[in-house]
Amino acid sequence: MAAARGEPGPRPPPYSSSSSSSSSASEIHVRVNSRRGANAVHPVVDMPAPPPGPAGAAAAPAAPSPVVFREVKHFWSWVPWLVPTFVVANTVMLVITMYVNDCPKNSVSCIARFLGRFSFQPFKENPLLGPSSATLQKMGGLVASKVVDRHQVWLLVTCIWLHGGVFHLLANMLSLLVIGIRLEQEFGFVRIGLLYIISGIGGSLLSALFLQSNISVGASGALFGLLGGMLSELIINWSIYTNKVAAFVTLLSIIVLNLAVGILPHVDNFAHIGGFLSGFFLGFVFLIRPQFGWVSQRYAPPGYLTTSVISKFKKYQCVLWISSLIIFIVGFTVALVLLLWGFNANDHCSWCHYLSCVPTSRWSCNSNPGYCNSTQLGSQVNLTCLTNGKSGFYTLPDASSSQIQGLCSQLCS
């Protein structure tokens, strides 16, 4: 079956925030307005009363005026709609894939046959309750040979929206809701949408460089991109966090744990790693925050001048922004060129395959598609798997090529 991309875990719990210091009467007051639970401090500008009039003027009785607060635009709380749209799109794509799959017509046996053409392939062929590998390939699953030989580069994108089955879809979409909605609330749909899609393509690139013969589908490369973006956002906006070490260790532990799950068979961990690296470097670019000194200076009303000009970003933020952008552009371009040249990364890294699957006595990492020799005499079909040498006899009147392929996949699994 196709290599399913696993799913990242939930976002780490929030941490306590620090409070901002008050300023004098001639300065802007910044009130803490935490939109991330209590993990970061977000400023809201307090608009004070104007300064007193010219000397000698009669002092008017001081009347209490209401304090006007306006939220700094860099810390707006957005209404999330793009992430739920992604969830709906992935779900619709699985429904369409199952309709195209049409198990009763193309397979000998099906699960939940009462669903008609939406019924699932046998567990032995696809344990995720989903379609056949042939259907996933037809719908746009990633096959490296198609990208190299036929220049079907769009497969790097289409595979992100496909899933191996119901279990695969549920795991990924629940993770996307937990992680993505919070990020979209904080940073908006444009930045999170770009981070999601570009990270997914980055995961597809690394997957195609290492998994040359498998079909790869799933959104988890994009999900790991969001996790990578969360880590780089924590680093580049270090000053707005409290309990920094605890936040860093917790998030890093979640990432390592989810990458460790990728060493199981039939899980495309190369897509996870590629998505994570893409999201990590893009997070420095898309998720950077201005420092609070600049915010107070930028949103000060006329007549309230600060004593010194404060830059929008700190020096270390600028260095990370520039270097990360360069590293991502160079790495992404080199990976794409190597893939189009037909580069097989396994030929230059003899141990890298262990990053995606570690063989044990309980399972094998051999996930190559099944190939069989078939002979047919009347309604009797004899299949021999070329991978493991197993043979099987089946009674199939008017057997179609898709039915024979499905039996071959079960025999070789």
Side-chain angles (χ1 to χ4, degrees):
M1 59 170 291
R5 301 176 180 182
E7 70 287 345
R11 192 171 189 185
Y15 304 92
S16 60
S17 65
S18 61
S19 60
S20 60
S21 59
S22 62
S23 56
S24 62
S26 62
E27 295 176 337
I28 296 300
H29 297 278
V30 178
R31 186 182 68 178
V32 171
N33 182 26
S34 178
R35 298 287 187 179
R36 315 185 61 176
N39 196 23
V41 289
H42 291 192
V44 173
V45 175
D46 178 355
M47 307 300 291
S65 58
V67 179
V68 179
F69 294 95
R70 64 173 180 173
E71 189 174 358
V72 179
K73 72 175 183 178
H74 299 278
F75 299 88
W76 281 345
S77 180
W78 302 77
V79 177
W81 62 268
L82 185 63
V83 168
T85 302
F86 284 164
V87 173
V88 173
N90 280 279
T91 304
V92 169
M93 284 305 303
L94 180 61
V95 173
I96 295 175
T97 303
M98 295 308 304
Y99 180 85
V100 173
N101 186 66
D102 195 2
C103 182
K105 178 181 178 181
N106 299 312
S107 299
V108 177
S109 61
C110 302
I111 297 176
R113 186 176 284 271
F114 63 89
L115 294 175
R117 65 186 302 156
F118 294 98
S119 56
F120 310 108
Q121 296 298 122
F123 269 117
K124 194 171 183 180
E125 182 181 352
N126 187 344
L128 299 175
L129 278 184
S132 65
S133 297
T135 301
L136 289 173
Q137 184 172 346
K138 182 190 303 183
M139 293 296 296
L142 178 60
V143 181
S145 60
K146 287 187 175 183
V147 179
V148 176
D149 300 331
R150 305 180 190 177
H151 303 291
Q152 297 180 359
V153 184
W154 60 85
L155 296 179
L156 298 172
V157 181
T158 56
C159 68
I160 303 172
W161 307 97
L162 299 173
H163 285 82
V166 175
F167 296 151
H168 190 200
L169 178 73
L170 286 176
N172 274 350
M173 293 305 100
L174 289 175
S175 300
L176 177 58
L177 288 173
V178 172
I179 299 172
I181 285 183
R182 293 291 297 274
L183 285 175
E184 188 178 351
Q185 286 175 333
E186 296 172 29
F187 296 99
F189 68 93
V190 174
R191 287 187 280 182
I192 299 307
L194 289 174
L195 181 64
Y196 179 89
I197 294 175
I198 299 176
S199 296
I201 298 174
S204 298
L205 273 175
L206 194 64
S207 174
L209 286 172
F210 282 95
L211 300 180
Q212 299 283 314
S213 58
N214 290 352
I215 304 171
S216 181
V217 295
S220 56
L223 292 176
F224 270 84
L226 297 183
L227 281 177
M230 289 168 58
L231 181 61
S232 55
E233 188 268 335
L234 172 62
I235 296 173
I236 200 168
N237 301 320
W238 191 254
S239 60
I240 73 172
Y241 281 86
T242 58
N243 295 331
K244 300 175 175 60
V245 176
F248 180 81
V249 171
T250 302
L251 181 56
L252 193 62
S253 300
I254 291 175
I255 293 170
V256 171
L257 178 62
N258 282 278
L259 287 174
V261 174
I263 65 175
L264 296 175
H266 305 298
V267 178
D268 186 359
N269 210 27
F270 288 115
H272 299 172
I273 297 172
F276 173 79
L277 292 176
S278 300
F280 179 72
F281 290 114
L282 286 175
F284 289 116
V285 179
F286 290 152
L287 309 183
I288 187 173
R289 297 281 202 187
Q291 57 174 313
F292 283 168
W294 178 86
V295 170
S296 298
Q297 172 183 277
R298 172 68 175 80
Y299 288 87
Y304 290 87
L305 301 177
T306 55
T307 57
S308 61
V309 177
I310 301 175
S311 61
K312 184 175 183 178
F313 301 108
K314 297 182 179 181
K315 290 183 179 179
Y316 84 92
Q317 289 180 301
C318 296
V319 171
L320 287 173
W321 192 95
I322 295 173
S323 58
S324 298
L325 182 61
I326 294 174
I327 292 173
F328 173 78
I329 293 176
V330 172
F332 191 91
T333 304
V334 170
L336 182 59
V337 170
L338 290 176
L339 176 61
L340 295 178
W341 279 353
F343 181 82
N344 188 343
N346 295 291
D347 296 338
H348 303 271
C349 182
S350 59
W351 56 269
C352 286
H353 62 279
Y354 292 116
L355 294 175
S356 186
C357 181
V358 177
T360 67
S361 58
R362 292 180 176 270
W363 63 70
S364 171
C365 292
N366 183 15
S367 58
N368 292 326
Y371 297 99
C372 299
N373 284 331
S374 64
T375 57
Q376 186 170 1
L377 181 61
S379 60
Q380 297 295 320
V381 178
N382 179 21
L383 294 180
T384 301
C385 178
L386 300 179
T387 305
N388 54 27
K390 292 182 180 179
S391 297
F393 294 90
Y394 307 91
T395 301
L396 290 175
D398 301 324
S400 64
S401 58
S402 58
Q403 289 176 327
I404 294 176
Q405 181 59 44
L407 290 172
C408 177
S409 299
Q410 298 180 44
L411 189 63
C412 294
S413 61

